[in-house]
Amino acid sequence: MSEALQDELWSILGVLDTTANILGRKPCYVSDGEWAATDGKTIWLPLQYLEKVAESDELDRMDSGLAFTVHEKAHIERTNMRLWEDLAKESKLHRLIGNCLEDYVIEAWASGEYEGARPLLDRLHRQVFEKVTIGDKGPRKPENDTEEMLALLFERTGISPPGTLWFEPGDRAREFVDKWEPACKEISCTKDTNRVTRRMVEDWGEPLVKE
């Protein structure tokens, strides 16, 4: 990484630290991390990802970082971290479904709270899909019904860009997501996320998926 690019990325991080504390009411810190995440007090932004963003991309580095910041700050404002951590410990499938549903909840809140948040988040989802899911080698084909179901659930909730599913889901995955999609879109808090996620895992009947 050149010194100029490094300086640019750290400058972006500083701007987004200020921005994160303007959004919402809860204070936080913004720091460099492997991927976008939060523990309720710190937001980690993936500078390695931002480094790969090109000028020709739909979002530039600052806008990509801003979209990550809006998403993670919405978790700080709306996600009950204690309840979420309890759910995430139950199994990988609880964690994956729960993360999808909670992301849907907090992005819906952010979209209502901040004008312009929805199109910014949608553009970030498209960019991440292209750079991470597709990447240089193309997307990996799901290995089983569970992976098909998860990919379809992420697409139906808008956490993966609508219309970008790269495979034809089997009947089991499609029928399951069709059944649960209405309940998923009625969720409004972490307590609801946990309740619906546990019911979905029980209904699916396979609590473990490959790490």
Side-chain angles (χ1 to χ4, degrees):
M1 183 190 305
S2 69
E3 185 175 344
L5 178 54
Q6 189 173 30
D7 288 345
E8 178 189 350
L9 292 173
W10 283 104
S11 175
I12 288 172
L13 205 65
V15 170
L16 294 176
D17 182 76
T18 300
T19 303
N21 283 284
I22 292 173
L23 300 173
R25 298 182 177 182
K26 298 180 180 179
C28 65
Y29 299 96
V30 175
S31 184
D32 179 25
E34 292 186 8
W35 192 244
T38 184
D39 62 357
K41 297 179 180 178
T42 299
I43 292 173
W44 290 281
L45 297 180
L47 292 191
Q48 287 186 337
Y49 174 87
L50 297 182
E51 177 188 353
K52 299 175 183 178
V53 174
E55 291 183 3
S56 59
D57 288 338
E58 186 175 1
L59 291 178
D60 62 18
R61 293 188 180 108
M62 179 61 82
D63 283 346
S64 295
L66 177 59
F68 280 123
T69 300
V70 169
H71 178 98
E72 298 303 332
K73 186 58 189 292
H75 275 301
I76 291 175
E77 295 293 324
R78 301 295 294 178
T79 297
N80 183 315
M81 292 296 175
R82 181 184 60 80
L83 291 180
W84 163 245
E85 289 169 2
D86 288 345
L87 179 72
K89 292 175 183 176
E90 294 184 27
S91 77
K92 183 178 181 182
L93 190 54
H94 284 85
R95 186 168 72 250
L96 290 171
I97 292 177
N99 185 62
C100 176
L101 302 191
E102 192 68 8
D103 280 356
Y104 174 82
V105 171
I106 60 100
E107 289 197 353
W109 175 83
S111 299
E113 194 76 7
Y114 308 120
E115 185 176 356
R118 182 72 270 164
L120 183 67
L121 292 166
D122 288 343
R123 289 159 67 195
L124 178 67
H125 291 319
R126 286 195 297 271
Q127 186 183 76
V128 170
F129 179 82
E130 292 168 0
K131 289 186 174 297
V132 179
T133 305
I134 296 179
D136 296 330
K137 299 180 180 179
R140 181 179 64 82
K141 185 178 179 180
E143 296 182 1
N144 51 52
D145 289 349
T146 301
E147 291 189 357
E148 287 188 359
M149 177 271 289
L150 289 167
L152 183 58
L153 182 65
F154 272 75
E155 195 250 3
R156 289 281 187 87
T157 55
I159 305 306
S160 292
T164 54
L165 209 61
W166 64 96
F167 63 94
E168 182 63 30
D171 290 342
R172 185 184 180 212
R174 188 179 297 280
E175 289 170 5
F176 181 83
V177 175
D178 285 346
K179 173 183 176 180
W180 284 100
E181 183 178 358
C184 293
K185 292 186 175 180
E186 291 179 357
I187 292 172
S188 61
C189 64
T190 310
K191 184 177 180 181
D192 290 344
T193 293
N194 289 13
R195 174 179 53 80
V196 173
T197 297
R198 290 181 176 120
R199 290 173 59 197
M200 290 177 71
V201 171
E202 181 179 7
D203 189 25
W204 185 251
E206 297 177 14
L208 299 178
V209 292
K210 185 185 295 184
E211 292 288 347

